[in-house]
Amino acid sequence: MSKRQRHAQILAVIRENRVASQETLRELLHQRGTEVTQATLSRDIRELRLVKVPDADGTGHYSLPEE
Amino acid sequence: MSKRQRHAQILAVIRENRVASQETLRELLHQRGTEVTQATLSRDIRELRLVKVPDADGTGHYSLPEE
DNA sequence: CTTGAATAACAATTCAAT
DNA sequence: ATTGAATTGTTATTCAAG
C-alpha cells in the first residue's frame, strides 16, 4: 500500500469518524487493513495539514482546515 | 487580569506571531506583562478553539479555525 | 524516500488550593 | 470558577534501517 493510498484512507476515516488521537486513527486504519505506527501517522498528518480541533468537552478531533 | 482579557491577548499574540508552542506563547504573553503557566494556556487554547496548523517544515503554529 | 522503535518535546489532566 | 505544580497522555523527532 502506497503512501498516497494511505493518505486517502486517512482523509476518509476522519470524515467518517471523530478521531481524537493518532492512536485511535491507527486502530481505525487497522480495521480497514492498513497497519502503520504512530510515528508514520504523525508525518502523514503534517503532510495532509490536518488540525486537531478542540471540542467543548475537551475531546478534540482531527479535521481538514477549511482553508 | 481577567481570563477574558487574557484570551483577548492570546488572540492578538497569535495574530501577530508564529506561535509554535504553548511555551512560546507563554513567553510572548510575559513580554506583554501577563504571567501564566502552560496548564492555563492549554485550557485557554481549548476554550478559544485554537488549532495548531502543521507547517511544511514541521513547525506548526496556532491559529483560529477559519470557521 | 519511507518506515518503526525509541525517545524527546509538547500538551492535557489531576489534584490541591484559592 | 480559576489557577499552578506535578503528572500523565499525546505527538514530533531521532536514529537506524529497508
Side-chain angles (χ1 to χ4, degrees), chain B residues 17-64:
Chain B
N17 306 269
R18 290 251 138 172
V19 180
S21 72
Q22 298 181 2
E23 204 50 39
T24 301
L25 177 55
R26 200 182 61 70
E27 288 160 14
L28 291 165
L29 289 169
H30 180 227
Q31 292 177 9
R32 298 194 169 206
T34 301
E35 293 270 22
V36 276
T37 61
Q38 179 267 322
T40 294
L41 293 181
S42 175
R43 297 174 189 120
D44 287 345
I45 283 167
R46 168 171 50 74
E47 288 160 10
L48 291 167
R49 297 280 204 288
L50 299 182
V51 297
K52 192 170 179 178
V53 184
D55 293 325
D57 61 345
T59 73
H61 66 277
Y62 282 100
S63 168
L64 275 169

Side-chain angles (χ1 to χ4, degrees), chain A residues 13-21 24 28 55 59-62:
Chain A
V13 167
I14 70 157
R15 275 191 216 97
E16 296 162 13
N17 306 270
R18 289 253 138 169
V19 181
S21 73
T24 302
L28 291 165
D55 293 326
T59 73
H61 67 278
Y62 281 101

Side-chain angles (χ1 to χ4, degrees), chain A residues 18-28 41 45 52 60-62:
Chain A
R18 289 253 138 169
V19 181
S21 73
Q22 297 181 3
E23 204 50 37
T24 302
L25 177 56
R26 199 182 60 73
E27 287 160 14
L28 291 165
L41 293 180
I45 283 167
K52 191 169 179 179
H61 67 278
Y62 281 101

